Amino acid sequence: MAATALTLSGCSSSASGPVSSSAPASGSAISAERCAQNKAAGTINYITGYQYQASASILDVLAAKQLGYFDALCLDVQIQPGTGDTAANAQLVAAGTAQLTDLGGDADLLRSQANGVDVTGIATYGQVPIATLMTMPSITNLKQLDGTTLGQKGQLPPEIQTMLVDAGVDLGSITQVVVGYDPTILPRGQVQSLTGYKSNEPLTLKADGTDVTQWNPEDYGIPGTFGTVAANPAFITANPTATEDFLRASFHAYDYCLTNAAECVGYAGALSGAGYDVDHNVQVWQTETGLVTKSQPAGTPLGSLNSDLMAKEITFLVSSGVLPSAPDPAKATDSSFLKAIYNGTDLIWPAP
Protein backbone atom coordinates (compact mmCIF):
# COMPACT_ATOMS: atom_id res chain seq x y z
CA MET A 1 0.00 0.00 0.00
CA ALA A 2 3.05 2.28 0.18
CA ALA A 3 2.97 2.49 -3.59
CA THR A 4 -0.66 3.55 -3.38
CA ALA A 5 0.13 6.37 -1.00
CA LEU A 6 2.83 7.64 -3.34
CA THR A 7 0.44 7.44 -6.28
CA LEU A 8 -2.21 9.45 -4.50
CA SER A 9 0.21 12.14 -3.41
CA GLY A 10 1.36 12.92 -6.95
CA CYS A 11 -0.11 15.73 -9.02
CA SER A 12 -0.73 13.83 -12.23
CA SER A 13 -0.10 10.57 -14.00
CA SER A 14 0.65 12.71 -17.04
CA ALA A 15 3.30 15.40 -17.16
CA SER A 16 0.88 17.47 -19.20
CA GLY A 17 -1.97 17.18 -16.66
CA PRO A 18 -3.07 20.51 -15.17
CA VAL A 19 -2.68 21.26 -11.49
CA SER A 20 -5.54 22.96 -9.64
CA SER A 21 -4.77 26.41 -8.27
CA SER A 22 -7.27 25.88 -5.45
CA ALA A 23 -6.15 24.41 -2.15
CA PRO A 24 -6.87 20.69 -1.86
CA ALA A 25 -9.65 19.61 0.44
CA SER A 26 -8.47 17.91 3.62
CA GLY A 27 -7.63 14.25 2.94
CA SER A 28 -8.28 14.54 -0.79
CA ALA A 29 -6.19 15.08 -3.90
CA ILE A 30 -8.48 17.71 -5.42
CA SER A 31 -9.61 21.25 -4.69
CA ALA A 32 -12.09 21.95 -1.94
CA GLU A 33 -14.58 23.23 -4.50
CA ARG A 34 -14.44 20.08 -6.63
CA CYS A 35 -14.49 17.91 -3.53
CA ALA A 36 -17.72 19.59 -2.43
CA GLN A 37 -19.25 19.08 -5.88
CA ASN A 38 -18.39 15.37 -5.84
CA LYS A 39 -19.69 14.88 -2.32
CA ALA A 40 -22.95 16.55 -3.33
CA ALA A 41 -23.51 13.71 -5.78
CA GLY A 42 -24.16 11.41 -2.82
CA THR A 43 -23.62 7.66 -2.94
CA ILE A 44 -22.80 6.32 -6.40
CA ASN A 45 -24.08 2.77 -6.73
CA TYR A 46 -22.23 0.73 -9.35
CA ILE A 47 -23.54 -2.70 -10.42
CA THR A 48 -20.96 -5.05 -11.92
CA GLY A 49 -21.71 -7.08 -15.02
CA TYR A 50 -21.08 -10.40 -13.31
CA GLN A 51 -20.19 -10.82 -9.64
CA TYR A 52 -16.58 -9.83 -8.84
CA GLN A 53 -15.09 -11.39 -11.97
CA ALA A 54 -11.77 -9.83 -12.92
CA SER A 55 -13.07 -8.28 -16.12
CA ALA A 56 -12.21 -4.90 -17.56
CA SER A 57 -14.85 -2.49 -16.17
CA ILE A 58 -15.21 -4.64 -13.04
CA LEU A 59 -11.78 -5.28 -11.55
CA ASP A 60 -10.50 -1.74 -12.09
CA VAL A 61 -13.57 -0.30 -10.35
CA LEU A 62 -13.06 -2.66 -7.40
CA ALA A 63 -9.38 -1.71 -7.28
CA ALA A 64 -10.14 2.01 -7.44
CA LYS A 65 -12.20 1.62 -4.29
CA GLN A 66 -9.69 -0.58 -2.47
CA LEU A 67 -6.69 1.56 -3.45
CA GLY A 68 -8.38 4.72 -2.20
CA TYR A 69 -8.66 6.43 -5.57
CA PHE A 70 -12.38 7.18 -5.18
CA ASP A 71 -11.73 8.57 -1.69
CA ALA A 72 -8.98 10.80 -3.10
CA LEU A 73 -11.57 12.36 -5.41
CA CYS A 74 -14.21 12.67 -2.67
CA LEU A 75 -16.47 10.03 -4.21
CA ASP A 76 -18.67 7.69 -2.18
CA VAL A 77 -18.85 4.60 -4.43
CA GLN A 78 -20.70 1.45 -3.43
CA ILE A 79 -20.21 -1.63 -5.61
CA GLN A 80 -22.92 -4.26 -5.98
CA PRO A 81 -22.19 -7.62 -7.66
CA GLY A 82 -24.40 -8.22 -10.69
CA THR A 83 -25.86 -11.57 -11.71
CA GLY A 84 -24.86 -11.41 -15.37
CA ASP A 85 -28.28 -10.10 -16.44
CA THR A 86 -27.15 -6.87 -18.06
CA ALA A 87 -30.68 -5.99 -19.19
CA ALA A 88 -31.79 -5.97 -15.55
CA ASN A 89 -28.75 -3.86 -14.63
CA ALA A 90 -29.72 -1.28 -17.23
CA GLN A 91 -33.26 -1.15 -15.86
CA LEU A 92 -31.98 -0.54 -12.32
CA VAL A 93 -29.82 2.33 -13.58
CA ALA A 94 -32.65 3.84 -15.61
CA ALA A 95 -34.86 3.70 -12.50
CA GLY A 96 -32.21 5.48 -10.42
CA THR A 97 -31.76 2.51 -8.06
CA ALA A 98 -28.16 2.51 -9.24
CA GLN A 99 -26.31 5.27 -11.04
CA LEU A 100 -23.82 3.30 -13.14
CA THR A 101 -23.34 -0.23 -14.44
CA ASP A 102 -21.19 -2.23 -16.78
CA LEU A 103 -22.96 -3.85 -19.72
CA GLY A 104 -21.78 -6.63 -22.00
CA GLY A 105 -21.11 -4.18 -24.83
CA ASP A 106 -22.60 -1.48 -27.03
CA ALA A 107 -25.12 -4.00 -28.41
CA ASP A 108 -26.59 -4.40 -24.91
CA LEU A 109 -26.72 -0.63 -24.51
CA LEU A 110 -28.50 -0.17 -27.83
CA ARG A 111 -30.88 -3.05 -27.18
CA SER A 112 -31.82 -1.59 -23.78
CA GLN A 113 -32.46 1.82 -25.33
CA ALA A 114 -34.56 0.25 -28.09
CA ASN A 115 -36.68 -1.36 -25.35
CA GLY A 116 -37.34 2.03 -23.77
CA VAL A 117 -34.72 1.77 -21.01
CA ASP A 118 -33.26 5.26 -20.55
CA VAL A 119 -29.51 4.84 -20.06
CA THR A 120 -26.51 6.58 -21.65
CA GLY A 121 -23.18 5.04 -22.63
CA ILE A 122 -20.21 6.98 -21.25
CA ALA A 123 -17.27 4.61 -21.96
CA THR A 124 -16.42 1.38 -23.77
CA TYR A 125 -13.34 -0.67 -22.94
CA GLY A 126 -13.00 -3.32 -25.67
CA GLN A 127 -13.64 -2.65 -29.35
CA VAL A 128 -13.86 -6.26 -30.49
CA PRO A 129 -16.49 -8.95 -29.81
CA ILE A 130 -15.92 -10.82 -26.54
CA ALA A 131 -18.15 -13.71 -27.62
CA THR A 132 -16.67 -16.85 -29.15
CA LEU A 133 -17.97 -20.21 -30.36
CA MET A 134 -16.03 -23.27 -29.24
CA THR A 135 -15.89 -26.67 -30.91
CA MET A 136 -13.63 -29.67 -30.64
CA PRO A 137 -10.73 -29.69 -33.14
CA SER A 138 -12.52 -32.31 -35.26
CA ILE A 139 -14.77 -29.49 -36.53
CA THR A 140 -12.80 -27.81 -39.30
CA ASN A 141 -15.70 -26.14 -41.11
CA LEU A 142 -18.68 -24.51 -39.46
CA LYS A 143 -21.05 -26.27 -41.87
CA GLN A 144 -20.18 -29.47 -40.04
CA LEU A 145 -22.41 -28.14 -37.24
CA ASP A 146 -25.55 -28.74 -39.33
CA GLY A 147 -27.84 -31.09 -37.42
CA THR A 148 -25.84 -30.89 -34.17
CA THR A 149 -26.51 -29.45 -30.70
CA LEU A 150 -25.32 -25.98 -29.69
CA GLY A 151 -25.10 -24.80 -26.08
CA GLN A 152 -25.83 -21.13 -25.30
CA LYS A 153 -26.50 -18.98 -22.24
CA GLY A 154 -30.14 -18.08 -22.82
CA GLN A 155 -29.95 -16.57 -26.27
CA LEU A 156 -27.58 -16.96 -29.19
CA PRO A 157 -25.31 -13.89 -29.32
CA PRO A 158 -26.12 -11.97 -32.52
CA GLU A 159 -22.43 -11.96 -33.52
CA ILE A 160 -22.33 -15.77 -33.31
CA GLN A 161 -25.64 -16.13 -35.14
CA THR A 162 -24.49 -13.92 -38.00
CA MET A 163 -21.13 -15.72 -38.19
CA LEU A 164 -22.90 -19.08 -38.55
CA VAL A 165 -25.36 -17.81 -41.16
CA ASP A 166 -22.60 -16.10 -43.16
CA ALA A 167 -20.64 -19.36 -43.11
CA GLY A 168 -23.57 -21.16 -44.72
CA VAL A 169 -24.72 -23.06 -41.65
CA ASP A 170 -28.33 -24.26 -41.66
CA LEU A 171 -29.24 -22.66 -38.35
CA GLY A 172 -32.69 -24.24 -38.37
CA SER A 173 -31.14 -27.71 -38.30
CA ILE A 174 -29.21 -26.97 -35.08
CA THR A 175 -30.76 -27.84 -31.72
CA GLN A 176 -30.03 -25.01 -29.28
CA VAL A 177 -30.01 -25.79 -25.57
CA VAL A 178 -29.56 -23.41 -22.63
CA VAL A 179 -26.51 -24.30 -20.55
CA GLY A 180 -24.57 -22.91 -17.61
CA TYR A 181 -20.93 -21.92 -17.32
CA ASP A 182 -19.43 -25.44 -17.16
CA PRO A 183 -17.58 -25.77 -20.48
CA THR A 184 -16.70 -29.43 -19.94
CA ILE A 185 -20.03 -30.34 -21.55
CA LEU A 186 -18.23 -29.74 -24.86
CA PRO A 187 -15.45 -32.35 -24.53
CA ARG A 188 -17.96 -34.73 -22.90
CA GLY A 189 -19.96 -34.58 -26.13
CA GLN A 190 -23.17 -33.25 -24.61
CA VAL A 191 -23.02 -30.41 -27.15
CA GLN A 192 -21.01 -30.10 -30.34
CA SER A 193 -20.57 -26.35 -30.11
CA LEU A 194 -20.69 -23.95 -27.20
CA THR A 195 -20.95 -20.18 -26.95
CA GLY A 196 -18.80 -18.45 -24.36
CA TYR A 197 -16.47 -15.58 -23.66
CA LYS A 198 -12.89 -15.41 -24.84
CA SER A 199 -11.76 -14.56 -21.32
CA ASN A 200 -13.59 -17.38 -19.52
CA GLU A 201 -14.54 -20.82 -20.84
CA PRO A 202 -11.55 -21.32 -23.20
CA LEU A 203 -9.22 -20.60 -20.27
CA THR A 204 -10.98 -23.18 -18.10
CA LEU A 205 -10.74 -25.84 -20.79
CA LYS A 206 -7.08 -25.06 -21.45
CA ALA A 207 -6.32 -25.40 -17.74
CA ASP A 208 -7.97 -28.84 -17.87
CA GLY A 209 -5.71 -29.81 -20.76
CA THR A 210 -8.53 -29.75 -23.33
CA ASP A 211 -7.79 -28.32 -26.78
CA VAL A 212 -10.69 -26.60 -28.50
CA THR A 213 -11.11 -24.51 -31.61
CA GLN A 214 -12.40 -20.97 -31.18
CA TRP A 215 -14.49 -19.45 -33.95
CA ASN A 216 -14.40 -15.67 -33.52
CA PRO A 217 -16.88 -13.22 -35.15
CA GLU A 218 -14.21 -10.61 -35.92
CA ASP A 219 -12.51 -13.11 -38.23
CA TYR A 220 -15.68 -12.91 -40.32
CA GLY A 221 -15.74 -9.11 -40.33
CA ILE A 222 -18.44 -8.87 -37.66
CA PRO A 223 -18.12 -5.85 -35.32
CA GLY A 224 -18.59 -5.87 -31.57
CA THR A 225 -17.56 -4.33 -28.26
CA PHE A 226 -17.38 -5.22 -24.57
CA GLY A 227 -17.18 -3.47 -21.24
CA THR A 228 -19.63 -0.63 -21.93
CA VAL A 229 -20.33 1.64 -18.96
CA ALA A 230 -23.93 2.86 -18.86
CA ALA A 231 -25.22 5.68 -16.68
CA ASN A 232 -28.43 7.25 -15.49
CA PRO A 233 -28.90 10.35 -17.72
CA ALA A 234 -30.34 12.53 -14.96
CA PHE A 235 -27.47 11.67 -12.62
CA ILE A 236 -24.67 12.49 -15.06
CA THR A 237 -26.36 15.73 -16.10
CA ALA A 238 -26.66 16.85 -12.48
CA ASN A 239 -23.21 15.56 -11.44
CA PRO A 240 -20.69 16.04 -14.26
CA THR A 241 -17.57 16.24 -12.07
CA ALA A 242 -18.52 13.11 -10.11
CA THR A 243 -19.11 11.25 -13.38
CA GLU A 244 -15.77 12.41 -14.77
CA ASP A 245 -13.95 11.45 -11.61
CA PHE A 246 -15.57 8.03 -11.38
CA LEU A 247 -14.11 7.24 -14.80
CA ARG A 248 -10.84 8.97 -13.89
CA ALA A 249 -10.34 6.85 -10.75
CA SER A 250 -11.37 3.64 -12.54
CA PHE A 251 -8.96 4.21 -15.41
CA HIS A 252 -6.17 5.17 -12.99
CA ALA A 253 -6.74 1.85 -11.23
CA TYR A 254 -6.83 0.06 -14.60
CA ASP A 255 -3.31 1.32 -15.31
CA TYR A 256 -2.17 0.19 -11.86
CA CYS A 257 -3.69 -3.28 -12.26
CA LEU A 258 -1.99 -3.81 -15.62
CA THR A 259 1.28 -4.34 -13.74
CA ASN A 260 -0.19 -5.49 -10.42
CA ALA A 261 -2.74 -8.06 -11.56
CA ALA A 262 -2.35 -10.49 -8.67
CA GLU A 263 -2.80 -7.73 -6.10
CA CYS A 264 -5.92 -6.37 -7.78
CA VAL A 265 -7.45 -9.81 -8.27
CA GLY A 266 -6.75 -10.41 -4.59
CA TYR A 267 -9.12 -7.55 -3.74
CA ALA A 268 -11.86 -9.23 -5.78
CA GLY A 269 -11.12 -12.56 -4.15
CA ALA A 270 -11.41 -11.08 -0.67
CA LEU A 271 -14.83 -9.67 -1.54
CA SER A 272 -16.02 -12.93 -3.11
CA GLY A 273 -14.87 -15.19 -0.31
CA ALA A 274 -14.11 -18.91 -0.42
CA GLY A 275 -14.12 -20.60 -3.81
CA TYR A 276 -12.85 -17.62 -5.80
CA ASP A 277 -10.32 -18.89 -8.34
CA VAL A 278 -7.56 -16.27 -8.17
CA ASP A 279 -5.34 -17.88 -10.83
CA HIS A 280 -8.21 -18.14 -13.30
CA ASN A 281 -9.26 -14.56 -12.69
CA VAL A 282 -5.73 -13.27 -13.22
CA GLN A 283 -5.98 -14.92 -16.65
CA VAL A 284 -9.41 -13.34 -17.19
CA TRP A 285 -7.95 -9.90 -16.49
CA GLN A 286 -4.87 -10.41 -18.64
CA THR A 287 -6.95 -11.79 -21.51
CA GLU A 288 -9.44 -8.93 -21.48
CA THR A 289 -6.87 -6.18 -21.09
CA GLY A 290 -4.95 -7.78 -23.96
CA LEU A 291 -8.07 -7.60 -26.11
CA VAL A 292 -8.63 -3.98 -25.06
CA THR A 293 -5.08 -3.03 -26.03
CA LYS A 294 -5.17 -4.92 -29.32
CA SER A 295 -8.52 -3.43 -30.38
CA GLN A 296 -7.82 0.16 -29.27
CA PRO A 297 -7.56 2.45 -32.32
CA ALA A 298 -4.26 4.32 -32.49
CA GLY A 299 -4.33 7.76 -30.90
CA THR A 300 -7.41 7.11 -28.77
CA PRO A 301 -7.53 6.68 -24.97
CA LEU A 302 -8.90 3.85 -22.87
CA GLY A 303 -12.69 3.89 -22.78
CA SER A 304 -13.06 5.95 -25.95
CA LEU A 305 -16.42 5.87 -27.70
CA ASN A 306 -15.86 4.83 -31.30
CA SER A 307 -18.70 6.36 -33.31
CA ASP A 308 -17.60 4.68 -36.55
CA LEU A 309 -17.57 1.26 -34.91
CA MET A 310 -20.94 1.90 -33.30
CA ALA A 311 -22.41 2.85 -36.68
CA LYS A 312 -21.15 -0.46 -38.10
CA GLU A 313 -22.52 -2.34 -35.13
CA ILE A 314 -25.91 -0.65 -35.52
CA THR A 315 -26.04 -1.68 -39.18
CA PHE A 316 -25.17 -5.24 -38.19
CA LEU A 317 -27.73 -5.34 -35.36
CA VAL A 318 -30.52 -4.03 -37.60
CA SER A 319 -29.71 -6.47 -40.40
CA SER A 320 -29.61 -9.38 -37.94
CA GLY A 321 -32.97 -8.38 -36.44
CA VAL A 322 -31.67 -7.50 -32.97
CA LEU A 323 -32.73 -3.85 -33.38
CA PRO A 324 -36.01 -2.92 -35.07
CA SER A 325 -34.53 0.25 -36.56
CA ALA A 326 -31.29 2.23 -36.55
CA PRO A 327 -30.95 4.63 -33.59
CA ASP A 328 -28.92 7.82 -33.68
CA PRO A 329 -25.43 6.94 -32.30
CA ALA A 330 -24.99 10.51 -31.06
CA LYS A 331 -28.01 10.13 -28.77
CA ALA A 332 -26.89 6.75 -27.42
CA THR A 333 -23.70 8.00 -25.78
CA ASP A 334 -22.10 11.06 -24.19
CA SER A 335 -18.36 11.48 -24.76
CA SER A 336 -17.99 14.73 -22.81
CA PHE A 337 -16.87 13.01 -19.62
CA LEU A 338 -14.05 11.17 -21.35
CA LYS A 339 -12.90 14.33 -23.08
CA ALA A 340 -12.68 16.08 -19.71
CA ILE A 341 -10.34 13.53 -18.11
CA TYR A 342 -7.75 13.19 -20.87
CA ASN A 343 -5.05 15.36 -22.37
CA GLY A 344 -4.76 13.58 -25.69
CA THR A 345 -4.31 9.97 -24.61
CA ASP A 346 -2.83 10.87 -21.18
CA LEU A 347 -5.16 10.47 -18.24
CA ILE A 348 -5.16 13.60 -16.06
CA TRP A 349 -4.58 12.55 -12.44
CA PRO A 350 -5.79 13.84 -10.08
CA ALA A 351 -8.63 16.06 -11.25
CA PRO A 352 -7.81 19.70 -12.05
Side-chain angles (χ1 to χ4, degrees), residues 152-227:
Q152 39 98 330
K153 306 295 191 297
Q155 63 180 4
L156 190 61
E159 301 94 339
I160 301 298
Q161 177 176 320
T162 301
M163 177 180 70
L164 290 170
V165 171
D166 288 354
V169 176
D170 180 4
L171 203 59
S173 74
I174 293 179
T175 300
Q176 297 186 39
V177 295
V178 177
V179 300
Y181 287 87
D182 177 9
T184 62
I185 62 173
L186 179 62
R188 291 202 304 266
Q190 293 173 265
V191 296
Q192 286 68 57
S193 59
L194 177 67
T195 65
Y197 301 95
K198 295 183 179 83
S199 56
N200 192 18
E201 292 90 346
L203 302 178
T204 300
L205 290 169
K206 184 178 180 180
D208 290 341
T210 302
D211 291 327
V212 297
T213 298
Q214 286 183 242
W215 304 85
N216 296 321
E218 64 269 26
D219 296 334
Y220 291 77
I222 298 169
T225 51
F226 69 91

Side-chain angles (χ1 to χ4, degrees), residues 27-347:
S28 78
I30 56 177
S31 70
E33 179 183 4
R34 192 175 186 97
C35 183
Q37 290 174 327
N38 286 354
K39 285 184 175 181
T43 300
I44 300 172
N45 292 300
Y46 184 81
I47 306 176
T48 71
Y50 180 69
Q51 301 297 331
Y52 295 123
Q53 181 169 281
S55 293
S57 74
I58 297 179
L59 185 64
D60 47 302
V61 177
L62 295 176
K65 184 172 179 66
Q66 296 301 316
L67 292 167
Y69 295 170
F70 289 135
D71 288 343
L73 302 182
C74 300
L75 295 174
D76 176 16
V77 176
Q78 298 299 318
I79 301 171
Q80 304 171 32
T83 63
D85 187 345
T86 56
N89 288 0
Q91 290 170 354
L92 289 170
V93 168
T97 304
Q99 286 67 51
L100 299 161
T101 189
D102 114 68
L103 301 179
D106 289 351
D108 298 282
L109 171 72
L110 294 165
R111 185 157 33 189
S112 292
Q113 292 172 338
N115 290 331
V117 180
D118 190 15
V119 290
T120 300
I122 59 172
T124 296
Y125 285 71
Q127 303 193 24
V128 65
I130 193 71
T132 188
L133 182 72
M134 294 161 282
T135 68
M136 298 307 291
S138 58
I139 300 294
T140 58
N141 187 306
L142 286 173
K143 283 186 61 63
Q144 291 175 255
L145 296 178
D146 284 356
T148 63
T149 300
L150 179 152
Q152 39 98 330
K153 306 295 191 297
Q155 63 180 4
L156 190 61
E159 301 94 339
I160 301 298
Q161 177 176 320
T162 301
M163 177 180 70
L164 290 170
V165 171
D166 288 354
V169 176
D170 180 4
L171 203 59
S173 74
I174 293 179
T175 300
Q176 297 186 39
V177 295
V178 177
V179 300
Y181 287 87
D182 177 9
T184 62
I185 62 173
L186 179 62
R188 291 202 304 266
Q190 293 173 265
V191 296
Q192 286 68 57
S193 59
L194 177 67
T195 65
Y197 301 95
K198 295 183 179 83
S199 56
N200 192 18
E201 292 90 346
L203 302 178
T204 300
L205 290 169
K206 184 178 180 180
D208 290 341
T210 302
D211 291 327
V212 297
T213 298
Q214 286 183 242
W215 304 85
N216 296 321
E218 64 269 26
D219 296 334
Y220 291 77
I222 298 169
T225 51
F226 69 91
T228 295
V229 180
N232 178 283
F235 174 82
I236 60 178
T237 298
N239 303 283
T241 64
T243 305
E244 293 167 12
D245 289 348
F246 176 89
L247 293 176
R248 189 191 311 273
S250 300
F251 294 164
H252 192 44
Y254 182 99
D255 289 340
Y256 180 84
C257 293
L258 286 177
T259 52
N260 297 276
E263 177 189 342
C264 292
V265 171
Y267 298 142
L271 289 169
S272 296
Y276 190 82
D277 190 335
V278 171
D279 291 340
H280 173 75
N281 274 280
V282 167
Q283 292 182 12
V284 170
W285 173 251
Q286 292 173 337
T287 299
E288 292 203 8
T289 54
L291 289 170
V292 169
T293 299
K294 185 177 180 180
S295 65
Q296 193 74 41
T300 63
L302 174 68
S304 60
L305 298 166
N306 188 331
S307 57
D308 291 338
L309 178 58
M310 178 171 277
K312 292 177 182 178
E313 194 164 4
I314 287 173
T315 299
F316 153 71
L317 292 170
V318 171
S319 65
S320 61
V322 175
L323 294 179
S325 60
D328 182 354
K331 294 181 179 179
T333 61
D334 187 338
S335 63
S336 64
F337 308 103
L338 285 169
K339 291 176 181 177
I341 66 174
Y342 282 107
N343 186 340
T345 58
D346 293 329
L347 181 69

